[in-house]
Coordinates of all heavy atoms in Angstrom, one line a residue:
M1 N -75.9 -52.5 47.1 CA -76.8 -53.7 47.2 C -76.0 -54.9 47.7 O -76.6 -55.6 48.5 CB -77.4 -53.9 45.8 CG -78.2 -55.2 45.7 SD -79.9 -54.8 46.3 CE -80.7 -56.4 46.3
L5 N -77.2 -57.5 50.5 CA -77.5 -59.0 50.2 C -76.7 -59.8 51.3 O -77.2 -60.8 51.8 CB -77.2 -59.3 48.8 CG -78.1 -58.8 47.7 CD1 -77.5 -59.0 46.3 CD2 -79.5 -59.3 47.9
M8 N -78.5 -59.7 54.6 CA -79.6 -60.5 54.5 C -79.3 -62.0 54.6 O -80.0 -62.8 55.3 CB -80.3 -60.2 53.1 CG -81.8 -60.5 53.1 SD -82.5 -59.8 51.6 CE -81.7 -60.8 50.4
Y12 N -80.9 -64.4 57.5 CA -81.7 -65.5 57.2 C -81.1 -66.8 57.6 O -81.8 -67.7 58.1 CB -82.2 -65.6 55.7 CG -83.3 -64.6 55.5 CD1 -83.2 -63.5 54.6 CD2 -84.5 -64.7 56.1 CE1 -84.2 -62.6 54.3 CE2 -85.6 -63.8 55.9 CZ -85.4 -62.7 55.0 OH -86.4 -61.8 54.8
R15 N -81.6 -67.5 61.1 CA -83.0 -67.7 61.4 C -83.6 -69.1 61.0 O -84.7 -69.5 61.5 CB -83.9 -66.7 60.7 CG -84.5 -65.8 61.6 CD -85.4 -64.8 60.9 NE -86.1 -65.3 59.8 CZ -87.3 -64.8 59.4 NH1 -87.8 -63.8 59.9 NH2 -87.9 -65.4 58.3
Q34 N -103.7 -64.2 54.4 CA -103.1 -63.8 53.1 C -103.9 -64.5 52.0 O -104.2 -63.9 50.9 CB -101.6 -64.3 53.1 CG -100.9 -63.8 51.8 CD -99.5 -64.3 51.8 OE1 -99.3 -65.5 51.6 NE2 -98.5 -63.5 51.9
D54 N -92.8 -64.5 40.6 CA -92.8 -64.2 42.1 C -91.3 -63.8 42.4 O -90.4 -64.6 42.3 CB -93.2 -65.5 42.9 CG -93.3 -65.1 44.4 OD1 -93.7 -64.0 44.7 OD2 -93.0 -65.9 45.2
I55 N -91.1 -62.6 42.8 CA -89.7 -62.0 43.1 C -89.4 -62.3 44.6 O -90.3 -61.8 45.5 CB -89.7 -60.5 42.7 CG1 -90.1 -60.4 41.3 CG2 -88.3 -60.0 43.1 CD1 -90.2 -58.9 40.9
G56 N -88.3 -62.9 44.9 CA -87.9 -63.1 46.3 C -88.9 -64.2 46.9 O -89.6 -64.1 47.8
A57 N -88.8 -65.4 46.1 CA -89.9 -66.4 46.4 C -89.7 -67.2 47.6 O -90.6 -67.9 48.1 CB -89.9 -67.4 45.2
G58 N -88.5 -67.0 48.3 CA -88.2 -67.8 49.6 C -88.3 -69.3 49.2 O -87.8 -69.8 48.2
S59 N -88.9 -70.0 50.1 CA -89.0 -71.5 49.8 C -90.3 -71.9 49.1 O -90.6 -73.0 49.0 CB -88.8 -72.2 51.2 OG -89.9 -71.8 52.1
S61 N -93.6 -70.8 49.7 CA -95.0 -70.8 50.3 C -96.0 -70.1 49.6 O -97.2 -70.5 49.5 CB -94.9 -70.4 51.8 OG -93.9 -71.1 52.5
F62 N -95.6 -68.9 49.2 CA -96.7 -68.1 48.5 C -97.0 -68.7 47.1 O -98.2 -68.7 46.8 CB -96.1 -66.6 48.4 CG -97.1 -65.8 47.5 CD1 -98.3 -65.4 48.1 CD2 -96.7 -65.4 46.3 CE1 -99.2 -64.7 47.3 CE2 -97.6 -64.6 45.5 CZ -98.8 -64.3 46.1
V79 N -87.7 -65.9 41.4 CA -86.3 -65.6 41.6 C -86.1 -65.6 43.1 O -86.8 -64.9 43.8 CB -86.0 -64.2 41.0 CG1 -84.5 -63.9 41.1 CG2 -86.4 -64.1 39.5
E80 N -85.0 -66.3 43.5 CA -84.7 -66.3 44.9 C -83.2 -66.2 45.1 O -82.5 -67.0 44.5 CB -85.2 -67.5 45.6 CG -84.8 -67.8 47.1 CD -84.9 -66.5 47.9 OE1 -86.0 -65.9 47.9 OE2 -84.0 -66.2 48.6
Y81 N -82.7 -65.2 45.8 CA -81.3 -64.9 45.9 C -80.5 -66.0 46.8 O -79.4 -66.4 46.5 CB -81.1 -63.6 46.5 CG -79.7 -63.2 46.7 CD1 -78.8 -63.0 45.6 CD2 -79.1 -63.2 47.9 CE1 -77.5 -62.7 45.8 CE2 -77.7 -62.9 48.2 CZ -77.0 -62.7 47.1 OH -75.6 -62.5 47.3
L82 N -81.2 -66.4 47.9 CA -80.5 -67.2 48.9 C -80.5 -68.7 48.5 O -81.5 -69.2 48.3 CB -81.1 -67.1 50.3 CG -81.0 -65.7 50.9 CD1 -81.7 -65.7 52.3 CD2 -79.6 -65.2 51.1
R85 N -82.7 -71.4 50.5 CA -84.1 -71.2 50.2 C -84.5 -71.6 48.8 O -85.5 -72.2 48.5 CB -84.5 -69.7 50.4 CG -84.5 -69.4 51.8 CD -84.9 -68.0 52.1 NE -85.2 -68.0 53.5 CZ -86.2 -67.2 54.1 NH1 -86.9 -66.4 53.2 NH2 -86.5 -67.2 55.3
Q101 N -80.8 -66.1 41.8 CA -80.1 -64.9 41.4 C -80.6 -63.7 42.2 O -81.8 -63.8 42.7 CB -80.3 -64.6 39.9 CG -79.3 -65.4 39.0 CD -79.5 -65.0 37.6 OE1 -80.2 -65.7 36.9 NE2 -78.9 -64.0 37.1
N102 N -79.9 -62.6 42.2 CA -80.5 -61.3 42.6 C -81.4 -60.9 41.4 O -80.9 -60.8 40.2 CB -79.3 -60.3 42.7 CG -79.8 -58.9 42.9 OD1 -81.0 -58.6 43.0 ND2 -78.8 -58.0 43.1
Y103 N -82.6 -60.5 41.8 CA -83.6 -60.2 40.7 C -83.1 -59.1 39.8 O -83.3 -59.1 38.6 CB -84.9 -59.8 41.3 CG -85.9 -59.2 40.4 CD1 -86.4 -60.0 39.4 CD2 -86.3 -57.9 40.5 CE1 -87.3 -59.4 38.5 CE2 -87.3 -57.3 39.7 CZ -87.7 -58.1 38.6 OH -88.6 -57.5 37.7
L104 N -82.3 -58.1 40.4 CA -81.8 -57.0 39.6 C -80.8 -57.4 38.5 O -80.6 -56.7 37.6 CB -81.2 -55.9 40.4 CG -82.2 -55.1 41.4 CD1 -81.4 -54.2 42.3 CD2 -83.2 -54.4 40.5
M118 N -93.8 -60.3 47.6 CA -94.4 -60.6 48.9 C -93.4 -60.5 50.0 O -92.5 -61.4 50.1 CB -95.1 -61.9 48.9 CG -96.0 -62.1 47.7 SD -97.5 -61.0 47.6 CE -98.4 -61.7 48.9
A119 N -93.5 -59.6 50.9 CA -92.6 -59.5 52.1 C -91.2 -59.5 51.7 O -90.4 -60.1 52.4 CB -93.0 -60.6 53.0
V120 N -90.8 -58.8 50.6 CA -89.4 -58.8 50.1 C -88.8 -57.4 50.4 O -87.7 -57.3 50.9 CB -89.4 -59.2 48.6 CG1 -88.0 -59.1 48.1 CG2 -89.9 -60.6 48.4
S123 N -87.3 -56.4 53.6 CA -86.1 -57.1 54.0 C -84.8 -56.6 53.2 O -83.7 -57.0 53.5 CB -86.2 -58.6 53.9 OG -86.4 -59.0 52.5
I124 N -85.1 -55.7 52.4 CA -83.9 -55.0 51.6 C -83.9 -53.6 52.3 O -84.8 -52.8 52.1 CB -84.2 -54.9 50.2 CG1 -84.4 -56.3 49.5 CG2 -83.0 -54.2 49.5 CD1 -85.0 -56.3 48.2
I133 N -86.2 -52.5 42.2 CA -86.8 -53.7 42.1 C -88.3 -53.5 41.5 O -88.9 -54.1 40.6 CB -86.8 -54.6 43.4 CG1 -85.4 -55.1 43.6 CG2 -87.8 -55.8 43.3 CD1 -85.2 -56.0 44.8
Y164 N -85.0 -55.1 58.9 CA -86.3 -54.7 58.2 C -86.5 -53.2 58.2 O -86.3 -52.6 59.3 CB -87.5 -55.4 59.0 CG -87.6 -56.8 58.8 CD1 -87.3 -57.7 59.9 CD2 -87.9 -57.5 57.6 CE1 -87.4 -59.1 59.8 CE2 -88.0 -58.9 57.5 CZ -87.7 -59.6 58.6 OH -87.9 -61.0 58.5
Ligands
LIG301 C1 -89.3 -62.5 54.0 S1 -88.8 -63.5 52.7 C2 -90.3 -63.7 51.8 C3 -90.4 -65.0 51.0 C4 -91.7 -65.1 50.2 N1 -91.9 -64.1 49.3 C5 -92.9 -65.4 51.1 O1 -93.8 -64.5 51.1 O2 -93.0 -66.4 51.7 C6 -87.9 -62.4 51.6 C7 -87.1 -63.2 50.5 O3 -86.8 -62.2 49.5 C8 -85.5 -62.7 49.0 N2 -84.8 -61.5 48.3 C9 -84.6 -60.3 48.8 N3 -84.0 -59.6 47.9 C10 -83.8 -60.3 46.8 C11 -83.3 -60.0 45.5 N4 -82.8 -58.8 45.2 N5 -83.4 -61.0 44.5 C12 -83.9 -62.2 44.9 N6 -84.4 -62.5 46.0 C13 -84.4 -61.5 47.0 C14 -84.8 -63.1 50.2 O4 -83.7 -64.0 49.9 C15 -85.9 -63.8 51.0 O5 -85.9 -65.2 50.8

Side-chain angles (χ1 to χ4, degrees):
M1 178 81 185
L5 288 171
M8 206 169 63
Y12 281 117
R15 245 182 41 152
Q34 187 185 68
D54 188 34
I55 301 169
S59 57
S61 305
F62 175 69
V79 188
E80 172 50 46
Y81 176 74
L82 297 179
R85 290 182 162 214
Q101 273 179 270
N102 172 1
Y103 171 62
L104 290 176
M118 308 297 287
V120 174
S123 60
I124 304 165
I133 289 179
Y164 289 110

